[in-house]
Structure formats: structure tokens, C-alpha cells
Amino acid sequence: MTMQTVSLNKSYGGTQGVYRHASRETQTDMTFSVYVPPHAGGARLPAVWYLSGLTCTHANVTEKGEFRSACAELGLIFIAPDTSPRGEGVPGDPANAYDFGLGAGFYVDATQEPFARNYRMWSYVTEELPKLVTENFPVDANRQSILGHSMGGHGALTVALRNPDRYRAASAFAPIVAPSQVPWGIKALGGYLGNNRQAWRKHDGVALIEDGARLSDLLVDYGDADNFLTEQLRPELLQAACEKAKIPLTLRRQPGYDHSYYFISTFMADHLRWHAERLKG
């Protein structure tokens, strides 16, 4: 696979790059960003994957996430994919809604038309892009972790729960923990996967835990001023599932914070240090 460099900028002694490639999974060009911290020649570095939320691209966290200082200090590569396929001929939501279609891929492989051809974000973020990144950047494939925000928090939880041998740690900012039980998730999973709710369970963090998937531990932050907290995020469902499964969960309620990148950037360094501890050795 070949990729095109869109931009390169030096930051905190490392390099922030944005790249584009033709994806076999989505049948479109896909753009992603990678921050590589300063490092000795020949070194292989631990990598943190970041999955973004509804309406976002790679650019939101790249420009507003405030992760580079901590990554440079901790020696972490930071990888940020897009949230959905884009381009001419890619179907969006007929009503132009923000929570389905373009910018709202939900990290699943769609089975329903007209989305099945392009909306293959699960295979893209778990198989195709990791292979491309490992071939082109100094990533230690045995030291990877994942985090995400909102829809991307849903993605991070499900990816980690279904791939426990690949990701040493998982955390999330304001994740959609049980998409099968909330409006955002019901719309997306139904639209992409059809009406068989049993098929939804492998893309639902709480359902995966109920069905036996496990993590060694988990860190989740949410703001108590988040407008989506009660209807869409439902962190209490994750708390109950983790308690029943005996998964150590650090669930932090942050007073006064909302759903925005002001919230994410405030606690980003905390999460990266938490990941770095689990990526040692």
C-alpha cells in the first residue's frame, strides 16, 4: 500500500504528519494523522490509537487534542484515523443528519445497502490502517493501546474488547457505552447492520462484557455538564457491567465539563500517562 504525505510539521521535537491513501476497504481515499515523537534511530515505539466522534475527521483531535507535549515526553506515537469514508459517490444520510452517514461510520462493517460497499470502518481501523502504519512508521506492534471520544469511545471499547491480545490498554472520553440501548446507536446499528439486534451485540461495549469479553482495566472520563450524558452516553450501564464482570473500572465524573474538546484536551495527558504505564516493556 502506498500513501501520500499531505503535510508535515515539527512539534515538541517530533513530527506531526497528515497522510492520504487509497483504501481497499472503503473504496475511497482516506486521510489520517500520525504524531511521531523524538526518538533514537532504529527505535520501535509504543503507539496509541485515537478514534474520534460523530461529525469529526482526523483533524479535530490533531488540531485541538493537545496530545503532542505528553506524547513527546512519554515517547508515544499517536494515530488518528477518520470516522467514515468520504468522497464522490459515497452515500450519506438522506436527511443530512449528523448522526448517520458521512462523519458517522460508527466503526462497523455495514451489511445494508447502500452503505455496504464503502462503510467498512471496522476492518479499516482494525486491519488495513494498522498494517499501513506499521509498514511506514516506527511502531512496536506489540505495544499498542486505544482510546476514543463519544462514538470513538464506543469504537475504542469494542475494538479493545474484541482484540484483547493486540491492545494493552483502552480508555475513553464520554463514550457511547451501550449503543444498542440509546438513540444514536439504535439509528446507526440498525441502518448499517439491519434489524437483527443479535448482530449488534459485537458492536456494543456493555453487551460484549455481558457476553464474556474482558479487559484488564479501564479508564473513562465524562463531564457532568455533557448534554448527551443522560440519553446517549449512559456511563452507569458500563459501571454496572464492569462491576458484575469484575473488570476494574476507573470512572471519573468531571464537574462542569461538557462534550467538547475543551474537556478532552484537559484530561488527554492523564489518559496518555495511564496508557504509557501499561505500554512499558
Side-chain angles (χ1 to χ4, degrees):
M1 291 182 286
T2 60
M3 66 179 193
Q4 170 192 354
T5 300
V6 176
S7 64
L8 284 175
N9 296 94
K10 187 167 184 177
S11 181
Y12 293 97
T15 302
Q16 177 64 67
V18 176
Y19 308 92
R20 182 181 299 118
H21 74 111
S23 167
R24 68 170 185 271
E25 291 293 348
T26 69
Q27 301 295 302
T28 66
D29 285 351
M30 296 294 287
T31 303
F32 64 99
S33 74
V34 180
Y35 176 72
V36 179
H39 62 283
R44 308 297 289 185
L45 305 177
V48 177
W49 290 79
Y50 179 90
L51 303 185
S52 294
L54 288 168
T55 75
C56 293
T57 71
H58 72 282
N60 296 75
V61 70
T62 304
E63 296 170 4
K64 298 186 287 188
E66 299 184 21
F67 56 85
R68 280 173 287 270
S69 176
C71 284
E73 172 193 339
L74 299 165
L76 299 174
I77 292 175
F78 191 97
I79 306 152
D82 201 347
T83 53
S84 75
R86 301 173 194 274
E88 186 177 350
V90 176
D93 178 67
N96 295 316
Y98 75 95
D99 55 356
F100 187 76
L102 298 179
F106 246 81
Y107 305 103
V108 303
D109 285 348
T111 59
Q112 304 300 297
E113 297 301 336
F115 305 101
R117 179 176 184 269
N118 303 115
Y119 284 74
R120 295 187 52 80
M121 291 303 296
W122 177 269
S123 292
Y124 178 71
V125 300
T126 64
E127 300 296 336
E128 183 179 11
L129 188 57
K131 185 175 187 296
L132 179 67
V133 167
T134 301
E135 289 173 350
N136 288 277
F137 300 93
V139 170
D140 183 342
N142 296 314
R143 291 191 292 159
Q144 298 188 73
S145 66
I146 190 164
L147 75 156
H149 168 235
S150 194
M151 178 186 73
H154 137 76
L157 292 178
T158 57
V159 167
L161 283 162
R162 289 174 58 185
N163 296 275
D165 295 332
R166 183 187 301 182
Y167 302 97
R168 291 196 187 182
S171 72
F173 302 106
I176 306 169
V177 303
S180 298
Q181 301 184 51
V182 301
W184 276 343
I186 291 168
K187 180 176 183 178
L189 298 180
Y192 294 133
L193 303 178
N195 295 326
N196 179 4
R197 289 191 172 228
Q198 190 62 33
W200 299 5
R201 295 187 69 82
K202 66 181 182 179
H203 291 291
D204 182 309
V206 166
L208 283 166
I209 293 170
E210 291 173 348
D211 292 344
R214 296 292 181 264
L215 295 170
S216 58
D217 59 355
L218 185 58
L219 171 63
V220 172
D221 277 303
Y222 68 92
D224 67 3
D226 190 321
N227 291 335
F228 304 114
L229 184 60
T230 302
E231 183 179 27
Q232 306 282 12
L233 306 182
R234 304 290 304 278
E236 73 279 1
L237 298 178
L238 179 64
Q239 184 174 33
C242 286
E243 286 176 356
K244 186 173 182 179
K246 296 182 170 53
I247 297 174
L249 168 66
T250 302
L251 182 62
R252 305 193 302 191
R253 176 188 175 99
Q254 304 294 357
Y257 285 91
D258 58 19
H259 201 68
S260 72
Y261 269 87
Y262 295 108
F263 157 61
I264 297 166
S265 62
T266 300
F267 300 101
M268 178 66 82
D270 285 355
H271 280 243
L272 292 173
R273 291 190 179 94
W274 187 87
H275 283 256
E277 283 294 318
R278 287 150 181 80
L279 291 169
K280 286 181 178 178

